């Protein structure tokens, strides 16, 4: 399920799910879902290996604008850019054993950029992520973990870090 493009489903009591890779265009798919089938969504349950950073930020902003909460289930997985969507939740909860992790961003080369252009692009994207996280009430120190972790690895936040860095807004759920 997580290997394919992110899909969205509305269940009972306003519980919705967002499962799969965040690809270019996923933010538009998400807004369409929230405008139609997911109009009554109150909580978005996330299960994703991440993907497109700009789409993740846009999705997080949509979540916040609509007053929706976010949740990662116990033993659920929200990694790479997925925590940016998670950060958009008005209330953000995770199961005690949820895996929420980050790593360095990477930019896809178009063939004409120099090494310096790539560094500049990465810094601009990181600055955009930090600015976004601050606007969502998340401690910007959380992004230091992303910048320190090579893109081939994943830094998994411990339960105490999720709370201390304000990635979650309440106690872990079981």
């Amino acid at each position: 399920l997580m290997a394919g493009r992110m899909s969205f489903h509305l269940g009972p009591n306003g519980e919705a799910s967002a499962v799969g890779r965040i690809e270019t265009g996923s933010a538009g798919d998400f807004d369409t879902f929230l405008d139609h089938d997911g109009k009554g969504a109150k909580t978005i349950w996330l299960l994703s290996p991440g993907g497109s950073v700009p789409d993740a930020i846009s999705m997080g902003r949509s979540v916040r604008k609509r007053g929706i909460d976010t949740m990662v289930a116990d033993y659920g997985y929200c990694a790479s850019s997925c925590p940016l969507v998670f950060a958009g939740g008005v209330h953000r909860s995770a199961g005690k054993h949820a895996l929420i992790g980050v790593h360095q961003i990477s930019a896809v080369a178009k063939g004409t950029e120099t090494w310096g252009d790539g560094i500049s692009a990465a810094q601009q994207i990181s600055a955009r992520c930090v600015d976004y996280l601050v606007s969502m009430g998340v401690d910007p120190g959380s992004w230091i973990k992303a910048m320190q972790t090579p893109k081939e690895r994943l830094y998994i936040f411990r339960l105490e870090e999720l709370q201390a860095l304000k990635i979650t807004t309440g106690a872990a759920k079981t």
Side-chain angles (χ1 to χ4, degrees):
L1 286 174
M2 286 198 305
R5 184 181 181 100
M6 186 169 267
S7 61
F8 313 99
H9 306 280
L10 182 65
N13 304 317
E15 303 280 319
S17 64
V19 178
R21 285 197 45 77
I22 302 167
E23 297 179 3
T24 300
S26 290
D29 297 345
F30 186 57
D31 282 337
T32 298
F33 167 74
L34 292 176
D35 287 340
H36 297 96
D37 294 344
K39 197 169 192 164
K42 295 177 183 161
T43 301
I44 302 287
W45 291 72
L46 296 163
L47 181 63
S48 175
S52 167
V53 170
D55 280 78
I57 290 172
S58 181
M59 292 169 69
R61 289 197 189 284
S62 288
V63 166
R64 181 61 61 92
K65 177 181 172 187
R66 297 166 193 260
I68 299 172
D69 298 337
T70 52
M71 177 71 184
V72 177
D74 203 22
Y75 298 100
Y77 185 76
C78 180
S80 188
S81 67
C82 178
L84 296 169
V85 180
F86 182 73
V90 174
H91 299 286
R92 302 178 294 274
S93 303
K96 274 187 183 177
H97 303 98
L99 299 174
I100 299 177
V102 293
H103 59 78
Q104 294 172 351
I105 54 94
S106 60
V108 178
K110 297 178 184 139
T112 59
E113 293 89 2
T114 66
W115 182 81
D117 292 337
I119 295 294
S120 177
Q123 288 177 337
Q124 289 173 4
I125 293 169
S126 283
R128 185 173 172 203
C129 290
V130 170
D131 182 58
Y132 164 75
L133 290 169
V134 168
S135 74
M136 295 296 135
V138 175
D139 186 321
S142 62
W143 199 249
I144 291 172
K145 300 298 186 187
M147 293 187 298
Q148 291 174 331
T149 305
K151 65 181 178 144
E152 301 82 21
R153 298 187 61 212
L154 193 63
Y155 181 88
I156 302 292
F157 291 101
R158 295 183 322 274
L159 183 61
E160 308 81 47
E161 290 176 304
L162 291 171
Q163 295 167 348
L165 294 168
K166 300 178 186 171
I167 297 167
T168 56
T169 58
K173 300 207 175 188
T174 54

